[in-house]
């Protein structure tokens, strides 16, 4: 009799486990997979409105390689790359961030390098190696200026 009770208990446990698995399995398959990408910088909104890849940034957010940061008419932003390079973006600015090289597409930016950093800034086809130095850049429809 003890063996028969043990067998029934064991069968009940297996049945319960099977019911739980068949209930949870469809919900696991229906979840969307999320694409993860490595981030390269902290982007901080100094004054509204700032976007990265068309997503509004409030406070501080991590951004990935190739993201385009846009500041609106009243927006100001600060980016700190993982290599220590700091970028300040003025109003009406578009900048495409990269781990080794960033492209100023429109507007004004100020960059400050860090010891050991090898970041480059590209403006109108000209590449500026920043190193530990500082540079101001301006890109407009008919003007491109670099102050170093």
């Amino acid at each position: 009799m003890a063996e028969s009770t043990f067998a029934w208990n064991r069968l009940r446990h297996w049945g319960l486990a099977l019911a739980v698995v068949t209930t949870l399995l469809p919900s696991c398959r229906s979840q969307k997979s999320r694409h993860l990408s490595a981030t390269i910088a902290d982007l901080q909104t100094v004054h509204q409105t700032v976007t990265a890849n068309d997503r509004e940034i409030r406070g501080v957010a991590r951004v990935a390689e190739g993201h385009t940061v846009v500041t609106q008419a009243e927006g100001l932003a600060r980016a700190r790359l993982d290599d220590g390079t700091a970028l300040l973006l003025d109003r009406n600015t578009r900048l495409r961030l990269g781990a080794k090289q960033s492209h100023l597409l429109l507007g004004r930016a100020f960059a400050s390098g860090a010891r050991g950093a090898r970041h480059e800034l590209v403006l109108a086809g000209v590449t500026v190696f920043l190193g530990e130095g500082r540079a101001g850049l301006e890109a407009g429809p008919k003007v491109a200026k670099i102050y170093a």
Side-chain angles (χ1 to χ4, degrees):
M1 176 121 177
E3 286 181 27
S4 128
T5 305
F6 176 74
W8 278 110
N9 283 339
R10 195 170 175 189
L11 185 61
R12 259 190 306 182
H13 286 108
W14 277 106
L16 182 61
L18 184 61
V20 168
V21 168
T22 56
T23 302
L24 294 179
L25 190 61
S27 66
C28 291
R29 273 190 251 149
S30 67
Q31 290 181 356
K32 292 182 181 178
S33 63
R34 297 183 74 180
H35 175 70
L36 297 177
S37 59
T39 58
I40 60 164
D42 289 323
L43 178 64
Q44 179 182 11
T45 298
V46 177
H47 198 276
Q48 302 298 340
T49 300
V50 177
T51 61
N53 274 14
D54 298 324
R55 181 177 61 98
E56 187 174 350
I57 304 297
R58 293 177 182 259
V60 179
R62 294 289 294 172
V63 290
E65 175 95 26
H67 278 192
T68 300
V69 178
V70 177
T71 60
Q72 301 300 324
E74 295 300 318
L76 298 171
R78 180 180 304 132
R80 169 80 60 185
L81 280 72
D82 290 342
D83 69 0
T85 301
L87 301 168
L88 301 174
L89 306 180
D90 199 9
R91 297 164 174 85
N92 296 317
T93 298
R94 294 178 65 84
L95 178 85
R96 188 172 63 243
L97 282 172
K100 302 286 182 197
Q101 190 177 69
S102 295
H103 297 261
L104 182 62
L105 307 171
L106 180 69
R108 295 185 301 189
F110 177 78
S112 178
R115 179 166 293 187
R118 303 196 49 85
H119 200 77
E120 297 175 350
L121 297 165
V122 179
L123 170 67
V126 176
T127 302
V128 177
F129 174 69
L130 196 56
E132 293 180 34
R134 294 178 174 90
L137 298 97
E138 183 177 352
K142 296 182 180 181
V143 67
K145 297 178 184 178
I146 300 171
Y147 305 95

